[in-house]
């Protein structure tokens, strides 16, 4: 039986095992997916190999160190410099970033998007910004501090702090900050956000399973809103395809969605 895993710290609340195991069961795959609390990210490669895993997902805070420890990095992950998926191929680790295409798949339901304001400059923002740039969708990053803005500027993506920012009109506003996750905060001051949302058509929050203050404000201002459930689902579906070599049809996707929601 093959073994798959999610590495994180903390990892106890991860919904990936229930989602991935639902997919594996659905296609009768001889494999199981488990959680692994990894304290020291620098041990990710030896832990992966020693435990005989065929594939892994990697979550906070290990995505950057997972990138450094991979034998080969595929696709957009080379630019993002962070990976959330490992696959064992001939004894070597191939690494991917499925958050980026997972995000693009999640916003497909909005229709055509041309100009995006991305709130936050953390690991998730990097994946989203590079994914949008690859699709030739204009993206501007707005963060509360200068932390990490250098990454975007080096990749020719406009990036600002609140103080120096002059808004344009955006079709889509994305919250990739953790404001709203465990608190009731907005990701930027209300007086800055509200006029932007009034002029926008869509708002997306990477946080899932709740209407955050950001999504509530966007809705009040006439935006179509969406939470991060589909992003989590599709990054998982893309990892599942890499793990199993099985192209997922709608029945697999829906089985994984039910697994994710614990249904
Ligand atoms: P990081 O810690 O890498 O980045 C957090 C970002 O949020 C930083 O830009 C930080 O700003 C900003 N921030 C934190 N608190 C506040 C606040 N109170 N007000 C304004 N800005 C704030 O986190 P990640 O990028 O890994 O994750 C971000 C969010 O995305 C989390 O909520 C996570 O749950 C969600 N997520 C969802 C996924 C999905 O599949 N749906 C996948 C991955 C993440 P600063 O730089 O100034 O510190």
């Amino acid at each position: 039986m093959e073994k798959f895993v999610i590495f994180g710290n903390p990892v106890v609340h991860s919904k990936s095992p229930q989602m991935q195991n639902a997919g594996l069961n659905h296609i009768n795959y001889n494999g199981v997916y488990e959680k692994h609390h990894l304290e020291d990210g620098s041990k990710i490669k030896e832990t992966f190999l020693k435990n005989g895993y065929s594939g892994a997902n990697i979550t906070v805070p290990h995505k950057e160190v997972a990138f450094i420890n991979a034998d080969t990095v595929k696709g957009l992950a080379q630019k993002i410099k962070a990976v959330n998926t490992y696959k064992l191929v001939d004894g070597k680790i191939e690494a991917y970033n499925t958050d980026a295409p997972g995000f693009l798949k999640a916003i497909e339901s909005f229709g055509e998007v041309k100009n995006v304001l991305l709130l936050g400059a953390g690991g998730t923002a990097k994946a989203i910004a590079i994914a949008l740039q690859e699709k030739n969708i204009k993206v501007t990053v707005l963060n509360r501090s200068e932390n990490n803005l250098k990454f975007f500027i080096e990749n020719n993506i406009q990036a600002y702090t609140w103080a120096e920012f002059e808004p344009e009109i955006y079709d889509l506003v994305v919250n990739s900050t953790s404001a709203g996750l465990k608190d009731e905060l907005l990701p930027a001051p209300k007086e800055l956000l509200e006029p932007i949302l009034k002029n926008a058509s869509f708002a997306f929050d990477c946080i899932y399973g709740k209407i955050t203050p950001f999504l509530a404000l966007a809705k009040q201002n006439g935006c179509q809103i969406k939470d991060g459930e589909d992003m989590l689902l599709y990054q998982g579906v893309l990892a599942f395809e890499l793990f199993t070599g099985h192209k997922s049809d709608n029945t697999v996707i829906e089985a994984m969605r039910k697994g994710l929601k614990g249904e």
Side-chain angles (χ1 to χ4, degrees):
M1 180 182 279
E2 284 187 64
K3 283 200 300 177
F4 306 99
V5 68
I6 179 154
F7 290 118
N9 178 15
V11 78
V12 64
H13 298 298
S14 171
K15 294 199 163 47
S16 288
Q18 63 198 60
M19 171 170 66
Q20 295 289 349
N21 282 318
L24 294 171
N25 291 339
H26 183 80
I27 63 165
N28 290 318
Y29 197 87
N30 188 20
V32 66
Y33 187 110
E34 56 194 49
K35 291 176 192 177
H36 190 122
H37 178 96
L38 184 66
E39 195 66 35
D40 178 0
S42 70
K43 300 225 162 63
I44 193 163
K45 184 174 183 174
E46 66 174 86
T47 309
F48 179 83
L49 295 172
K50 198 176 67 194
N51 284 280
Y53 294 125
S54 306
N57 286 121
I58 299 106
T59 187
V60 176
H62 299 318
K63 292 181 188 181
E64 276 90 4
V65 76
F67 165 84
I68 294 164
N69 280 275
D71 292 308
T72 345
V73 177
K74 298 283 193 181
L76 279 191
Q78 292 172 8
K79 242 178 162 177
I80 299 165
K81 298 192 168 30
V83 301
N84 73 327
T85 305
Y86 271 5
K87 179 181 160 84
L88 188 69
V89 181
D90 300 331
K92 300 273 182 207
I93 296 176
E94 271 186 6
Y96 298 78
N97 187 306
T98 70
D99 288 327
F103 168 79
L104 290 178
K105 186 85 189 129
I107 62 161
E108 269 178 16
S109 59
F110 288 145
E112 196 185 5
V113 166
K114 289 186 177 149
N115 198 355
V116 176
L117 179 66
L118 176 57
L119 307 170
T124 310
K126 289 179 185 172
I128 291 175
I130 296 293
L132 290 168
Q133 187 186 47
E134 278 301 302
K135 286 274 166 203
N136 292 318
I137 297 171
K138 187 171 179 216
V139 54
T140 306
V141 170
L142 179 61
N143 198 39
R144 66 176 174 184
S145 73
E146 284 190 6
N147 293 348
N148 298 318
L149 292 192
K150 195 164 156 244
F151 169 88
F152 300 94
I153 290 157
E154 282 173 0
N155 280 287
N156 298 315
I157 293 167
Q158 291 183 350
Y160 304 95
T161 58
W162 298 344
E164 62 191 6
F165 180 60
E166 288 184 20
E168 292 173 21
I169 305 250
Y170 308 94
D171 335 291
L172 167 64
V173 185
V174 176
N175 177 27
S176 80
T177 77
S178 34
L181 182 65
K182 291 180 190 146
D183 51 47
E184 289 302 309
L185 295 173
L186 282 168
K190 190 174 179 190
E191 49 292 2
L192 181 64
L193 266 187
E194 198 155 30
I196 293 172
L197 291 168
K198 237 181 208 113
N199 284 313
S201 306
F202 313 111
F204 182 91
D205 204 318
C206 296
I207 296 167
Y208 61 90
K210 69 185 273 198
I211 299 292
T212 57
F214 168 73
L215 287 184
L217 186 67
K219 195 163 182 209
Q220 270 170 34
N221 283 283
C223 293
Q224 189 183 323
I225 62 169
K226 187 165 187 180
D227 78 359
E229 180 185 301
D230 273 2
M231 180 176 172
L232 183 66
L233 174 69
Y234 289 122
Q235 65 75 30
V237 168
L238 294 165
F240 177 87
E241 291 184 348
L242 289 165
F243 295 156
T244 61
H246 186 99
K247 185 94 189 95
S248 36
D249 58 17
N250 278 341
T251 68
V252 177
I253 295 171
E254 285 320 306
M256 290 181 73
R257 188 191 294 280
K258 279 193 174 167
L260 174 62
K261 295 172 103 167
E263 289 171 358

